[in-house]
Amino acid sequence: YSELVRAFVNLRLKPNKDLLQDLINKANGLSRANYTSESLKAVDAEVAKANAVLNNSEATKEEVEAAVSELTKALAGLEAKPVETVKPGDTTVSVKTGDDNVIGATVALMTLSLAGYYISKKRKS
């Protein structure tokens, strides 16, 4: 009876770690080229802490919630790398994007439409 009471007293619920696992997967799946190295270091540090909590079978609900909170903050604090803009006086040649094809097709369609309209008007006369 005393062993059963002791076992019952020592029972505790294991916290759900699914959200923590999802956040770790999200952090590991980031395209690292899009973010600054400083903000990625903060995320990496929190991922390491979160992995420690995730792998700890004795982790409490409070520890899991704290790890989720800190990792969420780190992910929210990610800073995108600045987009490079063209500076005045830059002599770099632009890359062709193929936009000329759309303009050419539009002009050709308009010409054919006008020719068709002209021919139909001439036949009626």
Side-chain angles (χ1 to χ4, degrees), residues 20-21 24 28 46-56:
L20 184 60
Q21 180 65 56
I24 291 170
N28 289 334
E46 291 305 324
V47 166
K49 292 177 189 176
N51 273 322
V53 171
L54 184 66
N55 295 327
N56 181 3

Side-chain angles (χ1 to χ4, degrees), residues 53-105:
V53 171
L54 184 66
N55 295 327
N56 181 3
S57 61
E58 299 295 318
T60 64
K61 180 180 177 183
E62 291 77 21
E63 290 173 328
V64 172
E65 288 174 352
V68 166
S69 174
E70 292 303 315
L71 187 52
T72 301
K73 285 179 192 174
L75 288 171
L78 279 172
E79 296 175 9
K81 282 186 177 177
V83 177
E84 292 183 23
T85 58
V86 178
K87 298 174 184 157
D90 190 3
T91 58
T92 306
V93 177
S94 298
V95 177
K96 283 201 140 287
T97 60
D99 291 343
D100 296 344
N101 295 339
V102 175
I103 293 171

Side-chain angles (χ1 to χ4, degrees), residues 35-45 74 77-79 81:
Y35 301 101
T36 62
S37 60
E38 187 175 309
S39 63
L40 284 171
K41 285 180 186 177
V43 170
D44 291 341
L78 279 172
E79 296 175 9
K81 282 186 177 177

